Amino acid sequence: MERQLLSGNEAIALGAAHAGVRVAAAYPGTPSTEILEAAARFPEIYTEWSSNEAVAVEVALGASYTGVRAMASMKHVGLNVAADAFMAAATTGVRGGLVIISADDPGIHSSQNEQDSRNYARLGRVPCLEPADSQEAYTFTRLAFELSEEFDTPVLLRPTTRVCHSKSVVQPVEPAAITLTPQFVHEPAKLVMLPGAARGRWPKLTERLEKLAAWGETAECNHIINGSAELGIITSGISFHYAREVFPEASFLKLGLSYPLPERKIKEFTAGVSRIMVIEENDGFLELQLKAMGLSVIGKAAFPRTGEYSPDIIRAAAAGAGLTRPGNPAAAGDTELAKRPPLLCPGCPHAGIYFTLSSLGHRSVLPGRQARPPRLTICGDIGCYTLGAYAPLSAMDTCGCMGAGISQAAGMARAGLPEKPLAVIGDSTFMHSGINSLLNAVYNQANICVLILDNATTAMTGHQGHPGSGVSPAGERRNNVVIENLVRGAGVADVTVVDAFDLKAVRNAVKQGLAAGQLAVVIVRGDCPTLTRKRGKPRLVNEKCDDCGACLLVGCSAIQRDEDGHIFIDRSVCVGEYCTICQQVCPRGAIVEAETAS
């Protein structure tokens, strides 16, 4: 077949398609999002954006039970959400091949923490494959489905950010010839994990692991590259390429299967070298297992325990630990790049509500004015609207994980917080896990005000659909859940829907929600400008402007000061009448349509 230049995510999708996958489910999250988007290009694969990662695994597992091959993809923190479903799949095993992809984010490029998904492989006693480039992303995906069926187990595929988003050449091979009719075979002892059945399954997981370790002893994905007998390096994933660049003379044991480890092969390799180093991003996952085998290895004592690796980082760490002589100065790294603060986009529907919260909550003041003690307690969540935490808006006090804001606010109310807490959540995150929190708040009569910022998409990860948007991964229309109907159906009596770009209506709705003596939900609705791409007549600043800076408090990146301190609007990015928030804020009426400027 013809070679292709693919990203790791595209290669995983192609590998899945060539492996005969029929069902693919995911929740978007960087760096994994493009896997499902690429899979959606294959009409033979049913694809869906599930409402959260646990649902995605459950959908894929259900498909697997009928004998078809299926996969679920997510980012590393999504595997926390899916942990229960992951462990259930690990326990029952599979029928059709089941691959669960968890893309790790070393360096926290777009996440709330840094964690190592390989630990879940050990927890669930399932095999973990780690691709180092796009070719391996393709090959290992196909291999994962074969392993899944041969050993009756889900397989964890763990790419990392640099593998997911970098492109390299892939040589595909002929697609697997898989034709079958889905059917369900009744086998309660395997699939119904009542305690009696679970006790029967659990020892099988240990047996399975031992068989997989034996398989790994001769597997091609675990291979030795002979070099100097002075230094042997054990590594996996993208770290292999970095280490090869820094230590080209060393011998290497590259582990494609990072769990379970092939102990005999490892000891054979280490017996032939004088010094052993383990180079791996995130946790010392391999190092810990190697030391448990009684091997003396150099790992996290020399190399960073956090952050994304690069050849320069490995070279500097090795030199710092006295393992090598200092090399050439590092090439330009992240620390030398210009720092740009994250901002809401011009025309963002979240700007108005955050300006409102900021002003009501005394979070920002005009230049020269004295700051006041902040008011309002605002519990945030994960999404574009998290950017409301940054100045000048500064209107978010907590942000932990998907869907937590509503529950945190409820907890504060029950703890006796004198003021009524606010929870801010986006429409996609509300569908993900905010619904559960809202149901809990209804049931437990939490006196909080919930703001659902509805821009009809999952904007932060690239406009993926969700149950509220009714758009499939392939862009087709599907049923959509109407948020206000759902909220009312959940038992919320005080529900208000407002236009995100009508500041007066937004302010009144928030004040009413705070004043209500019960749980109140305000849905703030407005289109995401980067999705609709609507551009109106831009605004400009006329001679009435006294440069007070009130419009800057909106946090719109189109509004700036020039070198002389005068305010101007970047007409190339202003969306004009589709926003007008700055126009509504200006106390002097100095912001006008470009064509009506005096």
Side-chain angles (χ1 to χ4, degrees):
M1 298 183 71
E2 187 174 347
R3 296 196 306 167
Q4 300 182 41
L5 182 63
L6 300 174
S7 69
N9 283 345
E10 292 170 326
I12 289 171
L14 182 65
H18 286 182
V21 162
R22 289 293 171 268
V23 174
Y27 186 82
T30 305
S32 69
T33 306
E34 298 82 6
I35 296 172
L36 191 80
E37 291 177 333
R41 299 171 194 155
F42 298 92
E44 67 273 22
I45 302 177
Y46 165 79
T47 55
E48 72 166 41
W49 291 119
S50 301
S51 55
N52 66 34
E53 296 84 356
V55 173
V57 172
E58 289 158 359
V59 167
L61 182 60
S64 165
Y65 284 164
T66 70
V68 306
R69 290 183 168 183
M71 71 176 186
S73 55
M74 62 207 70
K75 67 181 300 181
H76 63 292
V77 289
L79 192 53
N80 299 335
V81 178
D84 208 11
F86 176 81
M87 290 298 293
T91 307
T92 67
V94 303
R95 288 267 170 68
L98 175 63
V99 176
I100 298 171
I101 304 153
S102 179
D104 281 359
D105 184 19
I108 315 182
H109 294 283
S110 182
S111 306
Q112 61 268 48
N113 61 39
E114 183 177 271
Q115 64 185 51
D116 195 323
S117 293
R118 295 177 297 181
N119 293 302
Y120 275 106
R122 182 163 50 198
L123 179 67
R125 304 183 188 183
V126 303
C128 178
L129 291 169
E130 280 192 79
D133 51 33
S134 295
Q135 179 65 62
E136 286 193 348
Y138 172 82
T139 305
F140 285 10
T141 300
R142 298 191 61 159
L143 173 63
F145 285 102
E146 295 168 6
L147 285 179
S148 176
E149 292 177 353
E150 181 177 352
F151 293 95
D152 186 19
T153 177
V155 175
L156 183 66
L157 186 72
R158 185 232 184 196
T160 54
T161 301
R162 208 55 56 173
V163 175
C164 291
H165 291 163
S166 297
K167 288 198 172 189
S168 59
V169 173
V170 173
Q171 177 61 68
V173 296
E174 289 298 322
I178 296 176
T179 56
L180 57 81
T181 301
Q183 61 175 337
F184 183 76
V185 178
H186 298 269
E187 190 180 1
K190 173 176 170 59
L191 302 181
V192 183
M193 288 301 98
L194 292 168
R199 281 193 290 271
R201 284 292 304 175
W202 201 242
K204 295 183 184 298
L205 273 63
T206 301
E207 295 172 15
R208 181 175 77 196
L209 211 54
E210 292 170 352
K211 291 176 182 176
L212 279 159
W215 175 87
E217 298 286 359
T218 57
E220 292 183 6
C221 63
N222 295 331
H223 64 272
I224 293 173
I225 301 172
N226 291 315
S228 168
E230 296 296 318
L231 176 61
I233 296 176
I234 300 175
T235 184
S236 64
I238 191 69
S239 298
F240 164 72
H241 289 296
Y242 300 153
R244 283 277 282 172
E245 184 173 330
V246 177
F247 303 101
E249 306 300 327
S251 294
F252 279 83
L253 171 55
K254 180 187 178 300
L255 295 169
L257 181 71
S258 56
Y259 190 80
L261 293 183
E263 187 168 346
R264 181 160 48 82
K265 190 164 197 164
I266 289 169
K267 290 188 173 178
E268 173 191 337
F269 174 74
T270 56
V273 294
S274 302
R275 186 172 58 183
I276 310 162
M277 293 198 306
V278 183
I279 300 179
E280 56 184 327
E281 287 178 328
N282 284 8
D283 293 348
F285 182 80
L286 300 177
E287 178 186 354
L288 185 65
Q289 295 179 79
L290 294 170
K291 286 182 174 176
M293 294 177 193
L295 298 172
S296 177
V297 301
I298 303 167
K300 294 299 180 183
F303 300 100
R305 296 176 181 274
T306 61
E308 187 177 30
Y309 281 8
S310 70
D312 290 330
I313 288 173
I314 292 173
R315 187 179 293 111
L323 301 172
T324 62
R325 288 175 295 183
N328 296 326
D334 289 346
T335 55
E336 298 177 17
L337 298 175
K339 299 296 184 185
R340 293 182 298 177
L343 297 168
L344 294 174
C345 301
C348 178
H350 305 334
I353 181 65
Y354 273 118
F355 172 80
T356 301
L357 295 178
S358 181
S359 57
L360 285 175
H362 301 172
R363 302 305 179 98
S364 56
V365 294
L366 291 172
R369 301 283 182 86
Q370 187 173 3
R372 296 171 290 177
R375 295 178 58 247
L376 301 182
T377 300
I378 306 168
C379 299
D381 229 296
I382 307 293
C384 288
Y385 46 93
T386 309
L387 301 177
Y390 292 101
L393 299 166
S394 305
M396 186 176 289
D397 297 312
T398 70
C399 179
C401 59
M402 296 284 281
I406 297 175
S407 300
Q408 290 174 347
M412 291 177 182
R414 282 301 177 193
L417 189 71
E419 64 188 32
K420 187 173 185 175
L422 280 156
V424 181
I425 190 169
D427 50 327
S428 183
T429 311
F430 178 69
M431 292 293 173
H432 177 279
S433 45
I435 292 173
N436 298 333
S437 301
L438 183 69
L439 293 175
N440 179 68
V442 171
Y443 172 62
N444 290 299
Q445 299 177 293
N447 186 17
I448 60 176
C449 180
V450 178
L451 307 177
I452 302 176
L453 311 190
D454 180 13
N455 60 5
T457 189
T458 312
M460 178 165 265
T461 48
H463 302 129
Q464 290 75 33
H466 61 72
S469 70
V471 180
S472 78
E476 301 161 339
R477 296 301 307 180
R478 289 183 180 169
N479 295 336
N480 71 295
V481 177
V482 179
I483 293 178
E484 51 267 40
N485 293 348
L486 188 155
V487 170
R488 291 190 179 101
V492 181
D494 190 338
V495 182
T496 306
V497 182
V498 292
D499 179 350
F501 298 103
D502 185 342
L503 275 186
K504 185 176 180 181
V506 168
R507 191 176 186 88
N508 288 338
V510 171
K511 293 175 74 172
Q512 290 172 12
L514 286 170
Q518 60 180 339
L519 169 63
V521 173
V522 179
I523 300 167
V524 186
R525 183 164 287 149
D527 291 337
C528 172
T530 59
L531 177 65
T532 60
R533 302 288 181 189
K534 292 189 294 189
R535 298 292 300 276
K537 295 177 182 176
R539 268 43 186 169
L540 61 75
V541 180
N542 67 17
E543 71 282 356
K544 295 180 182 176
C545 177
D546 61 358
D547 299 314
C548 71
C551 56
L552 291 171
L553 299 182
V554 172
C556 177
S557 55
I559 309 172
Q560 305 172 36
R561 287 189 190 271
D562 62 20
E563 294 179 351
D564 297 323
H566 300 307
I567 290 173
F568 71 98
I569 295 176
D570 184 347
R571 299 175 62 177
S572 66
V573 294
C574 175
V575 302
E577 60 265 32
Y578 296 112
C579 177
T580 74
I581 289 176
C582 62
Q583 197 171 354
Q584 297 173 58
V585 167
C586 179
R588 298 182 62 83
I591 298 177
V592 295
E593 273 187 24
E595 292 182 359
T596 60
S598 59

